């Protein structure tokens, strides 16, 4: 059965309640932050999104986002009902919310408005920046977005754009149904359609996928990007590098001086879609869920040339390879393969393919296998659920009976759920890069990608059970600090996320200064920091909070100051007097011994798992593999002999080494495009 909207709403609300309780947030704050994270994932918001609350005289603004490339300002408000029953938001409530957002913008158009606000608050920073954007005419479009846990009325099908300060203003309601559609599309950004007129040729049409070669004009590409922005690049492994590298300078020069040669000089765009509509003239008339998986730089370069440099792109033509994958379950693997093999215009390191990192597979396996310690007299054994794909937690419950779903929730409680985005933020904070964490999830993910890539390059067995437990312990620590700050008397309802990141980083820094390693087992065993550690964290957090909320010369905005490496360098020198007790530390020698022991255990587990995999597969798989390697014979005779013996039955049960050889051949074939139809 499929998850219904009502079931999704119930699960969504429970997740909000759990998140609020575990982090010490108001439920409205947890709702707002969770929805904005969803919108960043789907490309509806950029990485510049900022939480900033302004509530006064019926005006309620919760944050803003500024798309620098498209010069689009998004102002956010919310209507949170926090009702277990699914509510419907009335048109009058929508109109009132949008009227108040417009009123706030009108206030920002007055250069004296932000000066009346407390300088250290996020509202001051938000108002100052918006006032500056308006004064410098750097806003091409304004989006007013209302977030709600209700659903809109059926009569609310279209909201007409308006003009404010001679700027187009769009209105949009992100309701529970939109979030439901995001969930159903499994992070594809939701269904969206692109009307177009593309001459094309159908090249491939089989049971796996359908592919077209098309030509798209520069003006059409600009219009599509102008409308959808980052939603087009959600599955792309690369972000735009600006006109700094030789490749991008070449793109710009071609656009400016030889636009008619762009088609010949440029590699073009590789894209995917879920559906296309072909007209009677054989042209593509509509594309559903267009995703540019290779060619993000080309698209952004053409857009920047048109919008920023005012160059004419009407004579620019771009070749596009557009593929439709038949099975939606295959789309992620298809996209990752295309990205890996097609991204050659600028070097893309293996760390850019973070979504394919073995870390995800390992963490998913450990999250299902490793039991959390029973605490507080509880007789239940629970797991920490690793959500590799957004919505996976709910999706795993989709086909369960009521009794089975209840059992699932007992085994995997919502407060023990974490995803790769949050994991990256926590790990980067412990890596003593709180300035990076303060810049946002994307920056944290990039740093963590490189870290994981380096670790696995040195040792493919590095992601052990102990690594998983340590990572979960850091997550427990991070959430504990969030709650500690939220409930502190000195907390002023702003800059909590920055204070948390810097508190974690400073603890990590002071631990490193002792010459020992932190004993994460002390957190794992209790599923919470000890009272000794709690006192240390409270002391660090209060001192750091006081520091970052005190205006610095030239950095009146604490959130911007926290993004600077200089801020971290100064915080490391703060005279905060505390000692880290021995119970929180372990010797490096002990840590090294534990790591070696873990790797030995893992190696044995992997050997057994590989044997199990090989002997449980259909015999025909290995016979097909022999045919494959006979056609493209690029393996040794020894490898072929072992594979042939096992496939023909003369080798009844392979040893660990033999199974490893067979397994490696299987993976080699898969990476080369081998497909086995059982």
């Amino acid at each position: 059965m499929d998850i219904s909207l009502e079931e999704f709403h119930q699960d969504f609300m429970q997740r909000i309640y759990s998140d609020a309780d575990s982090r010490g947030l108001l439920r409205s704050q947890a709702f707002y932050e969770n929805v904005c994270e969803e919108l960043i994932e789907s490309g509806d918001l950029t990485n510049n999104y900022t939480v900033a609350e302004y509530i006064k005289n019926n005006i309620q603004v919760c944050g803003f986002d500024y798309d620098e490339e498209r010069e689009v300002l998004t102002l956010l408000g919310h209507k949170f009902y926090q009702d277990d029953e699914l509510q419907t938001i009335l048109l009058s409530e929508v109109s009132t919310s949008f009227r108040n957002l417009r009123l706030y913008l009108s206030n920002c158009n007055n250069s004296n408005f932000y000066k009346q606000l407390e300088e250290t608050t996020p509202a001051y920073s938000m108002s100052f920046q918006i006032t500056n954007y308006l004064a410098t005419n750097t806003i091409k479009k304004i989006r007013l977005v209302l977030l709600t846990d209700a659903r809109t009325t059926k009569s609310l099908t279209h909201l007409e754009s308006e003009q404010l300060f001679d700027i187009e203003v769009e209105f949009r309601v992100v309701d529970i149904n939109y979030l439901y559609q995001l969930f159903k599309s499994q992070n594809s950004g939701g269904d969206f359609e692109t009307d177009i007129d593309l001459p094309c040729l159908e090249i491939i049409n089989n049971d796996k996928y359908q592919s077209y070669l098309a030509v798209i004009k520069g003006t059409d590409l600009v219009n599509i990007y102008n409308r959808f922005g980052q939603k087009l690049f959600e599955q792309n492994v690369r972000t735009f590098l600006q006109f700094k590298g030789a490749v991008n300078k070449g793109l710009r020069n071609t656009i400016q001086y030889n636009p008619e040669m762009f088609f010949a000089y440029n590699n073009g765009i590789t894209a995917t879609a879920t559906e296309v509509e072909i007209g009677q003239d054989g042209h593509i008339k509509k594309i559903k869920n267009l995703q540019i998986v290779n060619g993000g730089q080309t698209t952004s370069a053409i857009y920047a040339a048109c919008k920023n440099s005012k160059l004419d792109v009407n004579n620019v033509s771009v070749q596009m390879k557009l593929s439709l994958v038949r099975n939606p379950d295959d789309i992620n693997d298809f996209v990752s393969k295309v990205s890996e093999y097609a991204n050659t215009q600028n070097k893309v390191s293996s760390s850019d393919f973070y979504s394919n990192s073995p870390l995800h597979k390992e963490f998913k396996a450990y999250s299902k296998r490793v039991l959390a310690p029973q605490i507080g007299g509880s007789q239940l054994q629970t797991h920490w659920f690793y959500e590799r794909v957004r919505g996976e937690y709910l999706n795993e419950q989709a086909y369960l009976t009521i009794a089975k779903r209840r059992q699932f929730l007992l085994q995997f409680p919502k407060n023990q759920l974490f995803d790769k985005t949050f994991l990256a933020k926590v790990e980067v904070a412990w890596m003593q890069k709180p300035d990076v964490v303060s810049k946002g999830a994307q920056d944290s993910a990039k740093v963590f990608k490189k870290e994981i890539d380096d670790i696995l390059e040195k040792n493919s067995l590095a992601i052990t059970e102990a690594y998983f437990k340590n990572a979960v312990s850091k997550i427990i620590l991070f959430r504990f600090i969030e709650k500690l700050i939220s409930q502190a008397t000195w907390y002023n309802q702003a800059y909590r996320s920055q204070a948390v990141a810097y508190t974690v980083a400073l603890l990590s820094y002071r631990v490193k200064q002792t010459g020992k390693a932190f004993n994460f087992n002390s957190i794992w065993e209790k599923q919470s920091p000890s009272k000794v550690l709690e006192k240390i964290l409270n002391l660090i957090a209060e001192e750091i909070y006081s520091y970052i909320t005190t205006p610095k010369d030239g950095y009146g905005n604490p959130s911007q100051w926290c993004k600077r490496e200089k801020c971290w360098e100064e915080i490391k020198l703060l005279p905060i007097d505390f000692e880290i007790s021995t119970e929180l530390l372990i010797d490096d020698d002990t840590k090294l011994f534990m790591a070696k022991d873990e790797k030995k255990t893992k190696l044995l587990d992997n050997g057994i798992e590989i044997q199990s995999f090989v002997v449980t597969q259909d015999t025909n798989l290995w016979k097909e593999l022999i045919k494959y390697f006979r056609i493209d014979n690029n393996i040794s005779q020894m490898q072929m002999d072992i594979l042939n013996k096992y496939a023909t039955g003369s080798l009844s049960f392979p040893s660990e080494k033999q199974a490893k050889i067979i397994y490696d051949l299987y993976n080699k074939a898969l990476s080369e495009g081998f497909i086995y139809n059982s």
Side-chain angles (χ1 to χ4, degrees):
M1 64 176 181
D2 292 328
I3 292 288
S4 67
L5 174 62
E6 288 72 18
E7 289 172 319
F8 173 78
H9 172 259
Q10 290 176 5
D11 182 85
F12 177 80
M13 296 307 297
Q14 290 303 314
R15 182 181 291 212
I16 297 302
Y17 299 158
S18 175
D19 192 46
D21 291 343
S22 64
R23 298 170 60 198
L25 305 179
L26 296 175
R27 288 180 173 180
S28 58
Q29 290 175 317
F31 163 76
Y32 178 67
E33 289 187 16
N34 273 268
V35 173
C36 286
E37 285 180 12
E38 293 277 0
L39 297 181
I40 291 171
E41 286 282 330
S42 67
D44 291 299
L45 293 177
T46 76
N47 297 328
N48 291 328
Y49 149 73
T50 303
V51 178
E53 193 173 71
Y54 176 86
I55 302 176
K56 192 173 183 180
N57 299 327
N58 294 323
I59 299 175
Q60 183 181 47
V61 181
C62 303
F64 76 106
D65 178 53
Y66 182 66
D67 187 330
E68 295 177 353
E69 195 169 49
R70 295 192 297 158
E71 295 184 333
V72 176
L73 173 70
T74 301
L75 198 63
L76 298 134
H78 75 70
K79 184 73 175 176
F80 183 51
Y81 290 85
Q82 61 175 309
D83 199 310
D84 291 335
E85 294 295 323
L86 183 54
Q87 300 296 313
T88 299
I89 186 169
L90 301 177
L91 185 58
S92 59
E93 295 175 298
V94 172
S95 299
T96 299
S97 296
F98 283 139
R99 184 177 65 245
N100 290 335
L101 290 175
R102 281 197 302 267
L103 181 57
Y104 172 77
L105 281 175
S106 297
N107 288 340
C108 288
N109 200 38
N110 179 348
S111 60
N112 290 318
F113 172 64
Y114 71 87
K115 297 175 184 177
Q116 303 167 21
L117 306 177
E118 173 58 45
E119 193 173 343
T120 60
T121 63
Y124 173 91
S125 173
M126 174 173 65
S127 304
F128 171 79
Q129 290 183 68
I130 294 175
T131 299
N132 185 57
Y133 295 144
L134 291 169
T136 55
N137 296 315
T138 51
I139 300 177
K140 298 283 176 55
K141 182 190 291 185
I142 295 171
R143 297 194 316 159
L144 301 184
V145 178
L146 176 63
L147 314 177
T148 179
D149 57 329
R151 58 182 163 191
T152 56
T153 61
K154 293 181 180 179
S155 61
L156 187 65
T157 58
H158 181 69
L159 293 167
E160 290 289 342
S161 298
E162 296 180 3
Q163 292 286 316
L164 186 63
F165 322 127
D166 293 324
I167 302 172
E168 181 186 5
V169 180
E170 289 183 351
F171 302 91
R172 182 175 174 197
V173 180
V174 173
D175 67 344
I176 193 68
N177 190 58
Y178 183 80
L179 299 173
Y180 175 54
Q181 295 306 319
L182 283 182
F183 161 74
K184 289 206 299 181
S185 63
Q186 293 191 338
N187 203 30
S188 70
D191 289 346
F192 63 97
E193 293 183 344
T194 307
D195 292 318
I196 198 75
D197 185 10
L198 298 182
C200 69
L201 288 173
E202 185 180 74
I203 306 299
I204 302 290
N205 191 343
N206 57 39
D207 59 347
K208 291 294 181 182
Y209 77 104
Q210 189 175 5
S211 194
Y212 298 88
L213 282 181
V215 179
I216 184 169
K217 289 289 185 182
T219 47
D220 287 332
L221 205 52
V222 167
N223 291 335
I224 292 172
Y225 182 55
N226 194 52
R227 182 179 177 191
F228 297 110
Q230 289 300 310
K231 285 175 76 72
L232 298 172
F233 305 110
E234 193 181 331
Q235 293 175 312
N236 198 343
V237 298
R238 188 190 349 262
T239 55
F240 183 47
L241 304 178
Q242 301 180 343
F243 293 122
K244 294 179 181 178
V247 171
N248 292 312
K249 287 181 180 178
L251 289 174
R252 187 187 189 285
N253 290 338
T254 303
I255 293 169
Q256 184 170 6
Y257 301 113
N258 297 292
E260 70 283 350
M261 298 302 296
F262 196 92
F263 184 88
Y265 293 165
N266 186 259
N267 288 336
I269 290 169
T270 302
T272 62
T274 57
E275 189 179 321
V276 297
E277 184 179 301
I278 306 295
Q280 291 183 348
D281 58 359
H283 289 195
I284 295 175
K285 301 297 184 181
K286 192 185 295 289
I287 305 175
K288 191 172 183 179
N289 297 325
L290 176 66
Q291 287 284 285
I292 297 174
V293 296
N294 181 48
Q297 290 182 82
T298 297
T299 305
S300 293
I302 292 172
Y303 183 86
C306 176
K307 294 294 184 177
N308 301 339
S309 302
K310 309 302 179 185
L311 299 179
D312 184 4
V313 297
N314 190 52
N315 293 324
V316 171
S317 295
V318 184
Q319 57 184 314
M320 179 166 72
K321 182 167 65 176
L322 179 64
S323 298
L324 282 71
V325 181
R326 304 288 191 193
N327 186 351
D329 294 335
D330 296 337
I331 186 67
N332 287 331
D333 184 60
F334 181 87
V335 168
S336 66
K337 286 286 195 301
V338 170
S339 298
E340 184 174 358
Y341 299 143
N343 273 297
T344 56
Q345 287 183 316
N346 286 83
K347 183 180 183 296
V348 180
S349 69
S350 57
S351 63
D352 288 320
F353 304 103
Y354 174 53
S355 60
N356 299 320
S357 170
L359 174 128
H360 293 303
K361 179 183 176 183
E362 301 284 6
F363 264 49
K364 175 55 68 178
Y366 287 133
S367 72
K368 291 185 174 182
R369 191 170 73 217
V370 176
L371 289 166
Q374 295 166 297
I375 56 173
S378 173
Q379 300 303 303
L380 292 173
Q381 290 189 306
T382 62
H383 299 260
W384 280 80
F385 189 97
Y386 181 59
E387 193 173 58
R388 176 177 175 178
V389 179
R390 192 172 290 273
E392 190 176 27
Y393 182 77
L394 181 55
N395 209 41
E396 288 208 11
Q397 304 170 49
Y399 302 101
L400 301 179
T401 63
I402 294 175
K404 289 288 186 181
R405 188 178 297 180
R406 189 180 298 116
Q407 183 181 357
F408 176 90
L409 292 172
L410 288 173
Q411 290 181 329
F412 300 97
K414 285 187 173 68
N415 65 338
Q416 291 177 196
L417 166 68
F418 68 104
D419 61 20
K420 61 185 178 186
T421 303
F422 189 65
L423 173 65
K425 182 166 64 173
V426 170
E427 289 285 357
V428 173
W430 189 261
M431 288 163 55
Q432 300 168 35
K433 297 182 183 292
D435 50 313
V436 174
V437 177
S438 298
K439 291 176 183 177
Q442 284 297 105
D443 288 84
S444 298
K446 289 176 186 176
V447 171
F448 189 48
K449 286 174 189 177
K450 186 178 186 308
E451 174 74 6
I452 291 298
D453 188 57
D454 290 345
I455 288 173
L456 291 173
E457 188 174 326
K458 293 172 184 174
N459 190 329
S460 61
L461 299 175
I463 311 301
T464 62
E465 183 175 316
Y467 187 102
F468 173 80
K469 289 180 178 179
N470 287 354
V472 171
S473 298
K474 292 171 194 170
I475 287 168
I476 294 170
L477 176 69
F478 199 95
R479 288 179 176 172
F480 183 86
I481 298 171
E482 281 187 315
K483 195 167 187 176
L484 183 151
I485 292 175
S486 297
Q487 297 174 346
T489 56
W490 41 262
Y491 176 55
N492 196 28
Q493 303 302 314
Y495 310 116
R496 180 189 62 249
S497 61
Q498 292 89 344
V500 174
Y502 275 91
T503 299
V504 171
L506 190 62
L507 175 66
S508 174
Y509 174 71
R510 290 290 189 91
V511 167
K512 189 174 182 179
Q513 285 187 313
T514 67
K516 297 185 178 182
F518 189 79
N519 182 13
F520 286 108
N521 199 48
S522 66
I523 294 178
W524 173 258
E525 288 300 326
K526 296 180 180 179
Q527 294 288 285
S528 177
S530 65
K531 291 295 183 182
V532 172
L533 181 55
E534 181 180 352
K535 289 181 181 179
I536 293 173
L537 295 174
N538 200 32
L539 176 63
I540 297 174
E542 184 173 5
E543 291 288 341
I544 284 177
Y545 191 78
S546 175
Y547 171 81
I548 65 175
T549 54
T550 302
K552 309 297 178 294
D553 292 339
Y555 298 97
N557 178 4
S559 64
Q560 295 302 316
W561 170 235
C562 288
K563 295 176 183 178
R564 302 282 181 170
E565 191 174 351
K566 185 180 179 183
C567 176
W568 172 230
E569 293 302 322
E570 291 194 9
I571 282 181
K572 284 192 289 188
L573 300 176
L574 288 178
I576 306 176
D577 186 22
F578 67 91
E579 288 187 7
I580 301 176
S581 61
T582 55
E583 70 182 67
L584 301 175
L585 301 171
I586 55 174
D587 294 331
D588 275 345
D589 289 342
T590 304
K591 181 182 177 183
L592 187 62
F593 173 79
M594 291 167 62
K596 285 182 178 179
D597 195 48
E598 277 282 322
K599 287 169 188 173
K600 286 180 183 178
T601 303
K602 182 173 182 180
L603 188 59
L604 178 61
D605 288 343
N606 277 353
I608 294 171
E609 288 171 7
I610 289 170
Q611 275 183 306
S612 176
F613 173 84
V614 170
V615 299
T616 56
Q617 298 305 304
D618 181 5
T619 306
N620 289 326
L621 165 62
W622 310 119
K623 291 178 180 178
E624 289 296 318
L625 211 56
I626 289 173
K627 293 179 184 177
Y628 173 80
F629 282 117
R630 279 177 180 162
I631 295 171
D632 185 13
N633 191 8
N634 57 352
I635 63 173
S636 71
Q637 187 60 48
M638 180 270 290
Q639 290 173 309
M640 180 61 86
D641 287 345
I642 291 175
L643 178 60
N644 188 62
K645 286 179 180 178
Y646 183 65
T648 56
S650 58
L651 177 64
S652 59
F653 192 85
S655 66
E656 281 190 26
K657 288 184 178 180
Q658 290 169 329
K660 181 72 164 57
I661 289 171
I662 297 170
Y663 182 70
D664 287 345
L665 289 176
Y666 170 70
N667 283 320
K668 174 180 172 60
L670 287 180
S671 69
E672 294 173 352
F674 169 75
I675 298 173
Y676 173 61
N677 296 312
S678 56

